[in-house]
Amino acid sequence: MLEFIVFFVFAAIAVIFALAVILHRNPVVGALSLVASFFALAVMYVLLEAPFLAVLQIIVYAGAIMVLFLFVIMLLNLQHAREENTRPIQQFLGYTGSAAFGLGLVYYIAKYAALQLPNGPFNADARAVGVELFQAYIFPFEMVSILLLAAIVGALLLSGRLPSKVRAADGEGAR
Amino acid sequence: MNPWMLYLVWPLIKFLIAFVIVQVIVAAMNWIERRVLGLIQARLGPNRVGPWGLLQIVADPIKFLLKEDIVPSSAEKIAYFLGPMLPLVPAFIVFCLIPFGPPPTFAVTHTNVGLLLILALTSTGVYGIILGGWASNNKYSLMGGLRSAAQMVSYEVPFGLSIVGVLMLCGSLDLVHIINYQAHHVWNVFPQLIAAFIFFVSMNAENNRTPFDLPEAESELVAGYHTEYSAMKFAFFMLAEYSAMLVNCCLMVSLFLGGWTLAIGGYGLTTATLKSMGFMGGLLGTVIFVVKVMTFMMIYIWFRATFPRFRFDQLMDLGWKWMIPLALINIFVTGIVVLAAPEMIINGSVVPVGETILAVAGAATVALTLFLIMKPRAHAPKVIHASRVSEA
């Protein structure tokens, strides 16, 4: 009974703040709403008896990634960004497209995920997650790390912070 | 026992006791810091209110409460009010998770992901600073907030990585387990010397304390993120900062210095010994814990009085080019030793082979570094003592 109350309260919080993210005009408020939504999601993980995942959710998303988001928003000073007027056809396509996607998502989640409970006790402590990650999912894990490395190298290249020798070899010439 | 008593009433009472003690320590720290800074800088510090200026602890809050609370007219109102409140929440919740003495009596709660939960909560403390800096609508405040965000995200990485070595040795995320492990082996500061050093430096940086206080560098940014804050809101920022310092010192003591125990290899005041003494034993453990924590608070002040402020690029260099690689090497070496030298039990007593190897390696690294720093340079400029400059 208590679990149901907690679930619905925090589900409502998560949804309300998620709506605030897309509806509020001020990007800083949007980013902070997303943080609040992440906290509500962390409570969901606790209810699923996975406190380790809940804590990881807060450390990674609320503690690190959203701080960087806020940093960029403030650095670019986006607080009074004015939006360009959109054409009616764009609005129509946007609303119908996302509505169709949302309905499809709900349908398939309800059909495939929610009705198939995992058999056996659910184990998500640090040890279990680590063992799974480095045994069963080692290939995707390494793939993601290579992808991230490529993104870092790409960002470094685009920001132009290369030693002058490399630039000269690129034909760009040293500034 | 009634589950309501066990899970709601007792934890609440224990939390309130811990809360009051922590607040008294935080308030007292303000006076202690100013007196010790005075001592180090050859001046007096606050000595007018009460004996040795002790009533300054009471005078300061009264002053904060009575001062006019100014809100800049162009501030973002809600964010401006939220700014000082947000960092207080995690700073207070965290004290539920720290075992001050042998559990269950002297710890509020006990979870098996306690350490990670503490990290998660402390990592959200930065929002108050960013929000306060942004909402003030002042360019110095915004600069302070931005610097704080960059610095805290950067130093969270070595902060987290330095703990990994300890986790590998102890094999648990539970602070109580980590403390008991240290009592039955050796304080983690010996096998994890480098990690303890990295942890201490990064926790200074996380708290924006002096060698790393760029978010509030008064010579560049007036007062940084709290330039526009006055009265109680300013006090909340200070309260959050000192609470966070206290939390970090508690973590340092629990992770590296054996927490409430005073034992090596299972001899001395272990948890079992303290528990056999009953309530007084638990109290003794708590006193040991508090003494260790206050020692580190003193080192914080000592740091503040000793080191000049970093430049921002130096700060980032230290974090990304030195601390993180060093922490990664530490994890690598610890992993190899833990795998290669498992626990040996001879005649029923544990022989810490791995720990000894790690301690020797760590000490050798520190000695080598000190040697390289201290080595006189070939063309070192002739040092003139300050008192001789005027004569020359």
Side-chain angles (χ1 to χ4, degrees):
Chain A
M1 184 58 206
L2 194 66
E3 279 185 13
F4 269 101
I5 297 170
V6 173
F7 172 78
F8 280 111
V9 168
F10 280 92
I13 291 174
V15 171
I16 289 168
F17 278 107
L19 282 176
V21 176
I22 50 173
L23 293 179
H24 204 280
R25 298 224 156 223
N26 193 332
V28 174
V29 176
L32 288 171
S33 307
L34 197 53
V35 176
S37 185
F38 284 151
F39 269 96
L41 268 183
V43 175
M44 299 290 138
Y45 283 122
V46 175
L47 282 181
L48 289 171
E49 295 182 5
F52 179 66
L53 292 184
V55 169
L56 280 193
Q57 157 93 6
I58 293 178
I59 290 182
V60 174
Y61 288 101
I65 290 181
M66 287 317 292
V67 176
L68 285 179
F69 264 61
L70 265 182
F71 181 78
V72 172
I73 290 171
M74 287 178 185
L75 197 67
L76 301 178
N77 207 5
L78 291 175
Q79 45 180 307
H80 297 300
R82 216 173 273 115
E83 287 165 28
E84 302 238 336
N85 288 330
T86 48
R87 285 189 229 158
I89 182 76
Q90 285 176 329
Q91 285 191 4
F92 173 74
L93 284 178
Y95 283 129
T96 45
S98 40
F101 180 71
L103 283 176
L105 211 59
V106 168
Y107 175 74
Y108 278 102
I109 288 173
K111 189 174 178 185
Y112 292 109
L115 299 179
Q116 289 179 351
L117 293 170
N119 27 349
F122 181 60
N123 190 5
D125 63 347
R127 195 177 297 273
V129 170
V131 168
E132 279 293 299
L133 203 60
F134 285 98
Q135 284 179 352
Y137 299 103
I138 182 70
F139 184 68
F141 179 77
E142 293 296 336
M143 283 304 288
V144 168
S145 67
I146 290 173
L147 195 69
L148 287 175
L149 185 68
I152 293 170
V153 173
L156 211 61
L157 196 75
L158 286 176
S159 69
R161 284 282 191 96
L162 285 179
S164 51
K165 270 184 194 168
V166 183
R167 278 165 172 264
D170 258 5
E172 215 181 304
R175 255 190 297 179
Chain B
M1 201 190 276
N2 187 348
W4 283 97
M5 284 292 282
L6 194 61
Y7 293 119
L8 200 68
V9 179
W10 274 119
L12 212 59
I13 292 171
K14 280 192 273 189
F15 172 68
L16 283 178
I17 294 172
F19 180 79
V20 168
I21 293 173
V22 163
Q23 288 320 301
V24 169
I25 291 178
V26 164
M29 271 315 289
N30 187 24
W31 175 78
I32 295 171
E33 174 156 26
R34 287 160 73 185
R35 287 294 286 196
V36 173
L37 276 183
L39 200 71
I40 294 175
Q41 295 164 351
R43 54 187 178 83
L44 286 174
N47 65 344
R48 293 285 140 161
V49 198
W52 309 292
L54 253 176
L55 286 179
Q56 194 76 37
I57 298 169
V58 187
D60 276 342
I62 293 174
K63 190 180 80 173
F64 279 133
L65 279 170
L66 295 181
K67 268 189 157 185
E68 188 189 352
D69 192 5
I70 300 166
V71 181
S73 56
S74 60
E76 303 274 337
K77 293 289 178 307
I78 297 173
Y80 185 82
F81 281 102
L82 270 179
M85 315 288 170
L86 277 184
L88 279 182
V89 179
F92 289 161
I93 298 177
V94 163
F95 287 109
C96 296
L97 298 161
I98 290 171
F100 294 98
T105 320
F106 288 89
V108 181
T109 57
H110 186 183
T111 68
N112 58 349
V113 290
L115 181 57
L116 280 182
L117 198 50
I118 293 172
L119 287 187
L121 287 170
T122 50
S123 72
T124 54
V126 64
Y127 282 110
I129 293 176
I130 304 181
L131 210 58
W134 171 76
S136 303
N137 215 346
N138 171 333
K139 53 179 170 286
Y140 296 120
S141 299
L142 184 64
M143 290 277 287
L146 286 179
R147 280 184 177 188
S148 178
Q151 177 178 332
M152 283 192 162
V153 168
S154 304
Y155 276 86
E156 228 156 62
V157 182
F159 189 75
L161 287 178
S162 62
I163 296 174
V164 174
V166 174
L167 300 185
M168 285 158 93
L169 279 180
C170 303
S172 175
L173 286 169
D174 180 358
L175 278 176
V176 175
H177 184 273
I178 291 174
I179 289 169
N180 283 335
Y181 180 92
Q182 292 177 70
H184 289 280
H185 290 74
V186 65
W187 284 1
N188 276 333
V189 70
F190 300 114
Q192 292 291 314
L193 191 59
I194 311 272
F197 171 73
I198 295 170
F199 186 86
F200 188 67
V201 173
S202 349
M203 89 190 195
N204 259 286
E206 288 275 298
N207 285 132
N208 302 324
R209 293 285 298 182
T210 275
F212 308 100
D213 66 340
L214 287 120
E216 41 192 300
E218 64 269 13
S219 51
E220 302 160 29
L221 297 178
V222 190
Y225 59 87
H226 55 62
T227 304
E228 297 287 352
Y229 283 92
S230 55
M232 219 43 213
K233 292 205 192 71
F234 172 76
F236 279 162
F237 270 127
M238 288 294 108
L239 207 60
E241 184 184 323
Y242 280 89
S243 299
M245 275 164 67
L246 209 57
V247 168
N248 283 347
C249 287
C250 290
L251 270 186
M252 178 90 199
V253 167
S254 309
L255 288 173
F256 294 102
L257 287 149
W260 63 79
T261 62
L262 208 59
I264 182 163
Y267 300 102
L269 293 171
T270 61
T271 309
T273 324
L274 287 172
K275 273 186 176 169
S276 68
M277 283 189 255
F279 185 77
M280 290 315 287
L283 216 55
L284 179 64
T286 312
V287 168
I288 294 172
F289 190 84
V290 171
V291 167
K292 286 177 183 173
V293 167
M294 289 314 280
T295 312
F296 272 93
M297 293 299 271
M298 285 299 151
I299 300 177
Y300 256 123
I301 299 171
W302 186 19
F303 255 53
R304 176 174 174 177
T306 311
F307 291 111
R309 186 179 296 132
F310 277 98
R311 224 168 47 217
F312 202 73
D313 61 321
Q314 291 172 332
L315 175 91
M316 286 293 152
D317 272 6
L318 182 74
W320 289 98
K321 293 183 186 166
W322 292 98
M323 291 290 168
I324 294 176
L326 209 58
L328 288 174
I329 292 170
N330 179 62
I331 292 173
F332 188 66
V333 173
T334 309
I336 290 176
V337 172
V338 167
L339 278 182
E343 244 172 36
M344 279 207 283
I345 297 172
I346 299 170
N347 297 335
S349 60
V350 181
V351 181
V353 183
E355 269 101 349
T356 315
I357 297 171
L358 283 173
V360 170
T365 316
V366 171
L368 184 71
T369 316
L370 281 180
F371 173 73
L372 289 177
I373 294 172
M374 299 293 181
K375 196 175 69 173
R377 288 175 210 146
H379 302 289
K382 198 185 168 196
V383 180
I384 303 172
H385 193 269
S387 62
R388 297 280 174 81
V389 173
S390 55
E391 296 167 20

